[in-house]
Amino acid sequence: MGENKRATLGGRLSAVLVAAGSAVGLGNIWRFPYIAGENGGGAFLVIYIGCILLLGVPVLLAEFTVGRHTHKNSVGAYRLLSKKWSFLGYNSVISSLLILGFYFVVSGWTLEYFTSSITGAISEYSSSVVNAERFADFTTDPVRPVIFTVIFALLTHVVIALGVQKGIERSSKLMMPILFVMLVVLAIRSITMPNGLEGLKFLFTPDFSKVTAKTFLDAMGQAFFSLSIGLGCMITYSSYFNDKTNLQNTAYNVVILDTLVAVLAGAMIFPAVFSVGIEPTSGPSLVFVTLPSIFNTMTFGSLWSAIFFLLLILAALTSTISLHEVLTVYLNEEWGISRKHAARCVTLVTTLLASASSLSLGVWGDFKICGLNLFDSLDFVTANILLPLGGCLTSIFAGWVLNKQILRDEISDHGRLKARLFGLLVVLLRYVCPTLLLSIFLYNLGLFTL
Ligand code: TRP
């Protein structure tokens, strides 16, 4: 596809829904509740929102600026703006590949839990102990999780192969509203369970006695992961925005939707957890182990469970699409490979990596990188190293290297919009974001040598 024929998204709503589709994912529904649970609930929420406002909004606007100004893939975009900084584009390509290496695996689990809910198999596992065993048996199995991982990768492939408008734009417009409705229905169901209000209290009453330095670091990492920023994913998506897209409004809407979904996911999960008297601190298995046992106590348990896992599938799919697109459009534009062929290469490579990382939870578990199996090391390296580092460099680039006029023109839509907070944005990008993000990075590097 020649550059002049590059796809653009339709109206204003498309830009918001597509970007929100990338942002809203397993990060909001699976990761946010368990991280909030481990960090005391309400207090975490307050700090998380602080991170979103101070770090999330500026870096998101910086990525939107780079993408929309250049209308190129992340490598091409940085190269066009400054040759020296094109390494940041490669960081984006490598990180997207590595994230997909574990994201496809967890997405595959959601597909298996959905099928087991439909067939009713899930209702045989009534207690959390049995559920935990089932989860462990399934995730360490050498065949079944790999099959589901491959199916999920193929689903993503189909959407990408359909193209930016017919695939990405259409699927986001269809899936995002459904996702939202399902989430609200599930949250209402959960809050109305006996003792459900206890869960809401946990989420909304800040108890700062549980806050430690790690809470801040967890909140920053979660904010970046959840908004899909730091890795140039939003550069790729905003390169399809048209020249009328209002970047400020799009960024605010994406941030609001993403945070709302995370809060609603909390409002769905904590009341259910409290109503059956389980501790909210059970970690990554919260969604896969705790929730199915709660569904089993409900009438029509399998139905609720099916709705919940379908919700997770849709959320995960709109995010895997965005990660896949970063790689596909990179191969397409930088290597001159046709889009269809590029998509096939990406699907093949990411599927192989994800299958290996699924196997690393079981039969290939002895193969360790710095003490972690492949699955955990992919998660660790991306979320704890590449993401904060990428975010830090992105803000330095936008604050110090990028021509101020380009930033102002994009943010104000060439003077058509008021950019009242422009001065504040520059201060945040120049000083606040790099300092805070460098601190997460150094902290995590410390963890690395432990
Ligand atoms: N934001 C998504 C989630 O919350 C995951 C994701 C998609 C992502 N693209 C990304 C995370 C780019 C970091 C960078 O699940």
Side-chain angles (χ1 to χ4, degrees):
M1 198 198 292
E3 264 170 59
N4 40 3
K5 279 193 267 145
R6 212 168 187 281
T8 41
L9 300 173
R12 216 179 69 203
L13 190 64
S14 305
V16 173
L17 287 182
V18 164
S22 170
V24 172
L26 296 175
N28 306 59
I29 304 171
W30 164 67
R31 206 167 183 271
F32 174 82
Y34 86 74
I35 303 247
E38 287 173 345
N39 283 292
F44 179 83
L45 184 61
V46 173
I47 297 167
Y48 175 75
I49 291 178
C51 290
I52 291 278
L53 295 177
L54 278 181
L55 306 171
V57 175
V59 175
L60 185 57
L61 281 170
E63 292 204 7
F64 277 177
T65 299
V66 172
R68 211 262 302 260
H69 180 75
T70 57
H71 291 299
K72 282 191 180 304
N73 68 85
S74 49
V75 173
Y78 278 112
R79 175 164 327 110
L80 188 73
L81 293 169
S82 157
K83 267 224 162 62
K84 261 197 247 155
W85 284 76
S86 42
F87 73 91
L88 252 187
Y90 289 105
N91 176 43
S92 131
V93 169
I94 293 167
S95 310
S96 303
L97 175 71
L98 300 183
I99 292 193
L100 278 179
F102 73 91
Y103 209 98
F104 269 152
V105 179
V106 183
S107 306
W109 298 347
T110 64
L111 210 53
E112 199 277 348
Y113 273 72
F114 174 68
T115 5
S116 308
S117 310
I118 295 276
T119 59
I122 211 161
S123 57
E124 288 158 29
Y125 305 92
S126 47
S127 74
S128 0
V129 179
V130 187
N131 257 310
E133 271 169 26
R134 175 189 197 268
F135 180 69
D137 283 349
F138 168 65
T139 51
T140 54
D141 189 274
V143 184
R144 289 178 58 227
V146 178
I147 295 177
F148 283 101
T149 299
V150 174
I151 298 176
F152 207 92
L154 291 177
L155 277 178
T156 309
H157 179 88
V158 170
V159 178
I160 292 291
L162 283 171
V164 174
Q165 283 154 345
K166 286 197 189 128
I168 301 175
E169 184 174 358
R170 245 209 237 155
S171 65
S172 303
K173 277 180 150 171
L174 176 74
M175 291 195 275
M176 292 308 287
I178 300 179
L179 184 151
F180 218 72
V181 172
M182 289 198 306
L183 192 56
V184 172
V185 171
L186 282 168
I188 293 173
R189 176 68 189 90
S190 174
I191 294 166
T192 50
M193 283 175 78
N195 218 15
L197 288 178
E198 277 307 303
L200 282 192
K201 250 194 226 151
F202 176 74
L203 182 62
F204 293 117
T205 321
D207 169 8
F208 285 99
S209 67
K210 296 240 174 61
V211 171
T212 59
K214 192 168 171 293
T215 313
F216 285 88
L217 299 160
D218 276 350
M220 286 194 245
Q222 175 60 23
F224 267 64
F225 190 84
S226 189
L227 286 177
S228 300
I229 50 178
L231 301 186
C233 195
M234 288 302 189
I235 294 182
T236 301
Y237 265 12
S238 56
S239 73
Y240 301 124
F241 288 179
N242 63 39
D243 289 330
K244 294 206 192 74
T245 307
N246 177 334
L247 295 189
Q248 294 178 60
N249 275 352
T250 309
Y252 299 144
N253 282 322
V254 169
V255 166
I256 291 169
L257 281 175
D258 187 66
T259 310
L260 194 63
V261 170
V263 171
L264 275 174
M268 159 180 75
I269 288 166
F270 293 125
V273 166
F274 275 81
S275 97
V276 291
I278 297 174
E279 283 298 307
T281 49
S282 58
S285 63
L286 191 64
V287 156
F288 291 100
V289 175
T290 314
L291 275 189
S293 32
I294 296 169
F295 290 133
N296 280 336
T297 64
M298 299 178 174
T299 9
F300 305 120
S302 302
L303 176 70
W304 291 112
S305 170
I307 298 178
F308 175 72
F309 286 107
L310 183 61
L311 169 74
L312 274 182
I313 292 173
L314 296 187
L317 189 57
T318 48
S319 297
T320 54
I321 290 168
S322 70
L323 290 160
H324 196 298
E325 179 63 18
V326 172
L327 299 167
T328 303
V329 71
Y330 160 71
L331 286 185
N332 175 219
E333 293 181 351
E334 299 297 310
W335 293 30
I337 303 174
S338 77
R339 186 178 164 92
K340 282 230 154 69
H341 193 58
R344 273 187 225 126
C345 294
V346 173
T347 304
L348 182 70
V349 173
T350 51
T351 307
L352 288 176
L353 181 65
S355 304
S357 95
S358 175
L359 290 174
S360 78
L361 294 172
V363 285
W364 288 358
D366 291 337
F367 172 70
K368 297 255 190 308
I369 305 164
C370 299
L372 296 175
N373 62 35
L374 181 62
F375 179 94
D376 291 333
S377 54
L378 289 175
D379 185 350
F380 182 86
V381 165
T382 50
N384 295 355
I385 297 180
L386 296 176
L387 217 93
L389 190 64
C392 182
L393 292 170
T394 306
S395 53
I396 292 175
F397 178 80
W400 298 92
V401 181
L402 185 69
N403 183 335
K404 216 60 348 79
Q405 197 54 40
I406 294 182
L407 188 63
R408 184 185 286 276
D409 279 350
E410 289 300 328
I411 301 291
S412 70
D413 233 343
H414 297 273
R416 263 183 290 149
L417 306 166
K418 284 206 189 105
R420 267 172 284 147
L421 298 176
F422 188 73
L424 177 64
L425 175 67
V426 173
V427 170
L428 289 173
L429 284 173
R430 283 195 159 185
Y431 305 103
V432 180
C433 300
T435 322
L436 288 177
L437 286 164
L438 205 62
S439 63
I440 329 183
F441 181 65
L442 293 178
Y443 172 85
N444 282 311
L445 220 58
L447 260 191
F448 204 50
T449 54
L450 273 183

